[in-house]
Amino acid sequence: EKYFPNIKAILIDERNEFMASHLKKYLERYDIIVAVVGEGHVFGLEKLLKEYALLTTIHLTELREERWMEKIL
């Protein structure tokens, strides 16, 4: 981001906007949705979607260590 802001804008930010717009449409239709995204998109999507839904983020390391259940129960 610091060294290549234009690349970040295209590869991360614009993609986040695109994914968030589609996820918002699904949120209008479904109570619960699951989105699997790359780590580079997590922070931006959380920021874009936090006012539309209660979010639970589970990272790959938590899945590997079987710590994800504590986040959803």
Side-chain angles (χ1 to χ4, degrees):
E1 177 179 6
K2 180 179 176 182
Y3 299 106
F4 302 101
N6 292 338
I7 292 173
K8 187 225 180 235
I10 294 168
L11 294 179
I12 302 294
D13 300 337
E14 290 180 15
R15 186 77 178 142
N16 285 348
E17 290 285 345
F18 176 81
M19 289 189 286
S21 70
H22 282 75
L23 291 169
K24 287 175 188 177
K25 290 178 188 174
Y26 290 123
L27 288 166
E28 292 172 3
R29 199 166 168 198
Y30 302 102
D31 294 329
I32 297 172
I33 62 171
V34 175
V36 179
V37 300
E39 188 68 30
H41 294 283
V42 173
F43 177 75
L45 285 171
E46 286 176 334
K47 189 174 173 182
L48 292 168
L49 295 170
K50 67 183 175 187
E51 62 189 62
Y52 292 92
L54 176 63
L55 303 175
T56 301
T57 302
I58 301 170
H59 296 271
L60 183 58
T61 55
E62 294 168 327
L63 287 175
R64 287 182 183 143
E65 297 170 4
E66 298 184 12
R67 292 185 295 130
W68 60 275
M69 289 285 271
E70 60 198 44
K71 287 196 164 188
I72 62 170
L73 296 178

